[in-house]
Amino acid sequence: RIVRLKCRCMKISPCINPKTVKEIQIIPQTAMCHRTEIVIIRNNKEAVCLDPNTQCTKRIIQTYTKE
Amino acid sequence: RIVRLKCRCMKISPCINPKTVKEIQIIPQTAMCHRTEIVIIRNNKEAVCLDPNTQCTKRIIQTYTKE
């Protein structure tokens, strides 16, 4: 039986080192998943989820969107 | 002949409406592509690139990472 997950993130990881980030995916909430999700693809191809509201996540995102 | 693009974004779009955003991808610079790229997947499945340093892009990202 294939369980169709509503949200992608089942587990939230603690803070990670921004230097290990290969890609950041921000997925706004939808009818299927009622929360914004942040998926980080790391250089080792591992995918981890972060809490959108923590300073750590904001710092990582700001690392790549400042002047 | 397949041209392997170093960067994903060939064209930068003007500001878009945050409500049309299905997913935001932030791709830090790499040895292959010397700039951070922001790829927005829209609800209509279209992919557009935004300039990481504009207020518009920051506003869209902040929409989904504030408390």
Side-chain angles (χ1 to χ4, degrees), chain A residues 8 24 26 58 65 67, chain B residues 23-24 26 58 65 67:
Chain A
R8 296 194 205 185
I24 302 166
I26 302 172
K58 287 176 189 166
T65 53
E67 290 317 312
Chain B
E23 182 174 324
I24 302 166
I26 303 172
K58 287 175 191 171
T65 54
E67 294 313 315

Side-chain angles (χ1 to χ4, degrees), chain A residues 26-38:
Chain A
I26 302 172
I27 302 122
Q29 69 178 46
T30 62
M32 293 273 289
C33 177
H34 300 299
R35 61 173 188 258
T36 293
E37 296 188 289
I38 308 278

Side-chain angles (χ1 to χ4, degrees), chain A residues 8 21-29 36 38 52-55 57-58 61-62 64-67, chain B residues 8 21-29 36 38 52-55 57-58 61-62 64-67:
Chain A
R8 296 194 205 185
V21 171
K22 187 171 188 291
E23 182 175 324
I24 302 166
Q25 297 173 352
I26 302 172
I27 302 122
Q29 69 178 46
T36 293
I38 308 278
N53 300 312
T54 59
Q55 277 313 313
T57 305
K58 287 176 189 166
I61 289 172
Q62 274 159 12
Y64 300 111
T65 53
K66 65 177 185 296
E67 290 317 312
Chain B
R8 296 194 205 184
V21 171
K22 187 170 187 286
E23 182 174 324
I24 302 166
Q25 298 173 351
I26 303 172
I27 302 121
Q29 68 179 44
T36 293
I38 308 278
N53 300 312
T54 59
Q55 278 312 314
T57 304
K58 287 175 191 171
I61 290 172
Q62 275 160 10
Y64 300 112
T65 54
K66 64 177 184 300
E67 294 313 315

Side-chain angles (χ1 to χ4, degrees), chain B residues 7-22:
Chain B
C7 294
R8 296 194 205 184
C9 294
M10 300 303 292
K11 204 178 66 148
I12 297 292
S13 297
C15 202
I16 61 164
N17 177 346
K19 292 200 176 79
T20 64
V21 171
K22 187 170 187 286

Side-chain angles (χ1 to χ4, degrees), chain A residues 2-66:
Chain A
I2 296 171
V3 175
R4 221 177 111 63
L5 293 177
K6 289 189 174 180
C7 294
R8 296 194 205 185
C9 294
M10 299 302 293
K11 204 179 70 158
I12 296 292
S13 296
C15 201
I16 62 163
N17 178 347
K19 290 199 177 81
T20 64
V21 171
K22 187 171 188 291
E23 182 175 324
I24 302 166
Q25 297 173 352
I26 302 172
I27 302 122
Q29 69 178 46
T30 62
M32 293 273 289
C33 177
H34 300 299
R35 61 173 188 258
T36 293
E37 296 188 289
I38 308 278
V39 179
I40 305 279
I41 311 295
R42 300 180 83 172
N43 292 325
N44 64 4
K45 302 245 179 357
E46 183 199 8
V48 294
C49 289
L50 296 184
D51 177 343
N53 300 312
T54 59
Q55 277 313 313
C56 162
T57 305
K58 287 176 189 166
R59 211 174 35 241
I60 289 176
I61 289 172
Q62 274 159 12
T63 307
Y64 300 111
T65 53
K66 65 177 185 296

Side-chain angles (χ1 to χ4, degrees), chain B residues 47-59:
Chain B
V48 295
C49 289
L50 296 184
D51 177 344
N53 300 312
T54 59
Q55 278 312 314
C56 162
T57 304
K58 287 175 191 171
R59 211 175 35 244

